[in-house]
Amino acid sequence: MKIGILGLGLIGGSLGYDLRSQGHHVLGVSRRESTCERAMALGSVDVASVDMNLLAAAEVVFICTPIALIVPQLQQLIYHLPATTVVTDVGSVKAPIVKDIVPLWKNFIGGHPMAGTSDSGIEAAQHNLFVGRPYVLTPDETTPQTAMAVVEEIVRSLGANLYYCQPEQHDQAVSWISHLPVMVSASLIAACMGESDPAVLQLAQNLASSGFRDTSRVGGGNSELGLMMAQYNRQSLLSALQGYRHNLDEFINLIEQEDWVNLKSKLKSTGQARPKFVE
Ligand code: NAP
């Protein structure tokens, strides 16, 4: 199959590696000429260009640009594609993208591979990035069965675990497990930096170890990504943050009241719940 990838970065480049290794012919388009050359040299794509017209020959196109560019790029891309081309995207937020693309392109299905690293760009692309990871598809009542079947088959072939849901359900779910943790973790770092005694702050920084490393990791990462989560998933993120604040208040109350029995039982129940999210 001829498969097009628009945006040869971490996700687009990684898709290219795996699709090529399964014998697909991969056509890549990216913004910079240097990225196109590098993607070809690394073997992530068969051929690459900065000219979108290259994708006219693709049967399926994956849009893998930063979130803010997915819809604008699709608006340009459609002038190059026959109506039969199936288009999907990999954006980390789904409702606003699906809402804008559905009226523009019939053969579209939204997608989100839940895989990645903190690095970006073609050099960060990896083989087998999607193996054993969730990959969410968000069809709606207008999505053609054929488009769904084609993308589903490709996703399964990546070794990913396929999930279907509505775009809004996806955005609410990722606000809990991905976007809220970024804000909580960033707040943790900001709160620690608010320590008013410089000697204590320095001591805390010297003593910080694995617990702090785990809990601060996602808040100390790519600020652009955090900003995009807030901009594109604002409503869901706000409701998750309010749920979090409610829980934080409960902890404050229990500690203020020295209610150790209920504090213990709350901590016990969170300990029991954690394996439902991660092993
Ligand atoms: P990335 O590594 O920064 O790659 C994005 C690539 O898009 C860049 O390498 C850039 O290529 C290209 N690009 C930028 N503007 C372009 C344009 N106007 N036309 C064509 N190509 C353009 O980002 P990423 O992490 O792969 O993320 C891409 C998408 O995947 C985002 O929508 C994100 O939400 C989603 N996603 C990310 C992760 C993650 O963990 N990173 C996980 C799941 C989904 P040049 O080098 O040519 O400028």
Side-chain angles (χ1 to χ4, degrees), residues 88-104:
T88 184
D89 77 299
V90 299
S92 312
V93 173
K94 295 275 52 94
I97 290 174
V98 172
K99 181 173 101 8
D100 285 354
I101 293 187
V102 162
L104 298 173

Side-chain angles (χ1 to χ4, degrees), residues 6-12 29-36 52 63-70 73 90-93 97 112-122 124 225 228:
L6 175 57
L8 298 171
L10 165 67
I11 300 294
V29 168
S30 210
R31 177 180 49 177
R32 286 179 292 176
E33 190 72 56
S34 56
T35 301
C36 295
M52 261 189 201
I63 305 182
C64 303
T65 60
I67 295 183
L69 290 169
I70 292 175
Q73 291 292 292
V90 299
S92 312
V93 173
I97 290 174
H112 179 201
M114 306 282 302
T117 69
S118 52
D119 297 322
S120 59
I122 188 64
L225 220 57
M228 270 184 211

Side-chain angles (χ1 to χ4, degrees), residues 55-61 80-87 105-108:
L55 301 178
E59 292 151 81
V60 180
V61 174
H80 301 272
L81 303 182
T84 49
T85 311
V86 173
V87 176
W105 198 252
K106 190 167 82 58
N107 267 324
F108 171 76

Side-chain angles (χ1 to χ4, degrees), residues 8-244:
L8 298 171
L10 165 67
I11 300 294
S14 301
L15 268 172
Y17 281 133
D18 293 355
L19 296 174
R20 280 196 78 217
S21 72
Q22 288 162 25
H24 296 294
H25 186 72
V26 177
L27 309 163
V29 168
S30 210
R31 177 180 49 177
R32 286 179 292 176
E33 190 72 56
S34 56
T35 301
C36 295
E37 282 164 16
R38 193 67 187 130
M40 284 190 283
L42 288 168
S44 160
V45 294
D46 289 281
V47 52
S49 169
V50 293
D51 182 353
M52 261 189 201
N53 202 38
L54 180 72
L55 301 178
E59 292 151 81
V60 180
V61 174
F62 284 77
I63 305 182
C64 303
T65 60
I67 295 183
L69 290 169
I70 292 175
V71 176
Q73 291 292 292
L74 182 278
Q75 283 167 333
Q76 293 179 32
L77 177 66
I78 55 181
Y79 293 107
H80 301 272
L81 303 182
T84 49
T85 311
V86 173
V87 176
T88 184
D89 77 299
V90 299
S92 312
V93 173
K94 295 275 52 94
I97 290 174
V98 172
K99 181 173 101 8
D100 285 354
I101 293 187
V102 162
L104 298 173
W105 198 252
K106 190 167 82 58
N107 267 324
F108 171 76
I109 179 166
H112 179 201
M114 306 282 302
T117 69
S118 52
D119 297 322
S120 59
I122 188 64
E123 299 294 341
Q126 294 178 11
H127 294 263
N128 300 317
L129 183 68
F130 310 100
V131 174
R133 307 306 304 272
Y135 197 123
V136 187
L137 293 179
T138 60
D140 70 2
E141 58 289 350
T142 68
T143 310
Q145 278 296 327
T146 44
M148 206 149 96
V150 168
V151 177
E152 177 178 321
E153 194 182 327
I154 294 172
V155 168
R156 286 195 196 285
S157 76
L158 298 171
N161 301 327
L162 186 64
Y163 293 90
Y164 282 107
C165 66
Q166 289 165 6
E168 295 75 15
Q169 289 177 313
H170 165 276
D171 292 355
Q172 188 66 55
V174 297
S175 76
W176 284 119
I177 52 83
S178 175
H179 303 175
L180 175 64
V182 169
M183 301 305 155
V184 168
S185 174
S187 308
L188 169 73
I189 300 169
C192 292
M193 289 306 292
E195 166 57 50
S196 55
D197 182 335
V200 173
L201 178 60
Q202 185 58 61
L203 185 61
Q205 289 169 346
N206 293 342
L207 299 183
S209 187
S210 56
F212 191 81
R213 180 169 290 115
D214 290 348
T215 49
S216 64
R217 184 176 65 80
V218 292
N222 185 336
S223 56
E224 281 300 316
L225 220 57
L227 182 65
M228 270 184 211
M229 291 167 176
Q231 287 176 324
Y232 286 84
N233 202 16
R234 181 172 167 273
Q235 216 41 58
S236 297
L237 177 57
L238 279 175
S239 98
L241 277 164
Q242 274 146 11
Y244 179 71

